[in-house]
Amino acid sequence: MEPRLTTHTLSRFSRRSALVLAAALTFAATGYAQTAAAPRVKLATSAGDIVVELDAAKAPKSVENFLQYVKDKHYDGTVFHRVIDGFMIQGGGFTADLQQKPTRAPIPLEASNGLKNDKYTIAMARTGNPNSATSQFFINVKNNDSLNAPNPDGYGYTVFGKVVAGTDVVDKIRAVATGNKGGMQNVPLEAVTIKSATLLAK
């Protein structure tokens, strides 16, 4: 005898289907929310525009810190003060005359978040103290595995986003002529200025 589809059976089937559908919709909504929640910042530089997408899920403190500096207009008028082709370009701390700008308190390290210092990722610069990052950041111009936690000093460097537009501008900056200036090495001989840093609308 073939099994009969009773009202009770259909009811159980419908409930199960509804639960599966609800779970699928929740997953889809969560995935969308994560994508939508990834803020993008445009760095309008004298060499062209760079857009970085920030990973607030994996580096919440670093992203919040960076966005606060953007909101405060801290980066406007700063320069890429350290450029090493084949390594990275660093900025966010000095004016064109190499005067260091005041910063807020440092933030804790988030280098063990699973994000790697791969080409075109953006990471926080710091001193030998792992919890010393403030406003300065760098963009990797190659895969810098030596900066991934626990390298190179037992701590690593926190990646908090990636370049999603303007990789050609990054490549242009990494190739500029550099020299010694203001007591620092690897300084672009012709200033590469961040004219503005703005949070892009969704």
Side-chain angles (χ1 to χ4, degrees):
M1 181 184 293
E2 292 184 6
R4 292 194 310 158
L5 290 176
T6 63
T7 306
H8 180 66
T9 307
L10 285 171
S11 177
R12 281 190 307 164
F13 176 79
S14 299
R15 280 201 301 273
R16 189 162 58 246
S17 298
L19 286 171
V20 170
L21 180 60
L25 288 172
T26 301
F27 177 79
T30 303
Y32 174 76
Q34 286 174 346
T35 302
R40 291 187 173 193
V41 169
K42 181 175 78 172
L43 302 174
T45 83
S46 55
D49 294 348
I50 300 168
V51 177
V52 291
E53 183 176 88
L54 311 179
D55 196 329
K58 292 189 176 178
K61 291 181 176 64
S62 301
V63 169
E64 181 185 16
N65 175 70
F66 184 78
L67 289 177
Q68 188 61 54
Y69 279 113
V70 170
K71 182 180 178 181
D72 293 343
K73 304 294 183 187
H74 173 92
Y75 295 125
D76 298 11
T78 61
V79 296
F80 284 95
H81 64 276
R82 185 169 175 239
V83 170
I84 304 175
D85 195 7
F87 184 36
M88 55 94 233
I89 61 175
Q90 182 175 338
F94 291 85
T95 59
D97 56 357
L98 298 182
Q99 295 301 306
Q100 191 163 8
K101 296 187 71 172
T103 63
R104 298 193 315 276
I107 59 171
L109 187 74
E110 295 179 302
S112 298
N113 60 17
L115 299 176
K116 305 299 183 186
N117 282 274
D118 291 340
K119 189 175 185 180
Y120 301 130
T121 56
I122 183 170
M124 292 305 302
R126 60 172 176 81
T127 67
N129 177 351
N131 299 305
S132 62
T134 55
S135 67
Q136 291 187 41
F137 62 86
F138 62 91
I139 297 173
N140 291 289
V141 301
K142 76 174 188 70
N143 292 350
N144 286 315
D145 297 339
S146 63
L147 300 182
N148 296 332
N151 299 319
D153 54 0
Y155 301 104
Y157 287 78
T158 301
V159 173
F160 64 99
K162 61 185 178 182
V163 175
V164 293
T167 55
D168 58 323
V169 177
V170 174
D171 289 340
K172 189 189 302 183
I173 296 171
R174 71 177 172 84
V176 300
T178 61
N180 298 337
K181 190 176 179 183
M184 296 192 291
Q185 298 177 321
N186 308 116
V187 181
L189 299 180
E190 185 175 334
V192 181
T193 306
I194 298 173
K195 296 186 287 188
S196 66
T198 51
L199 178 63
L200 296 179
K202 295 286 188 236

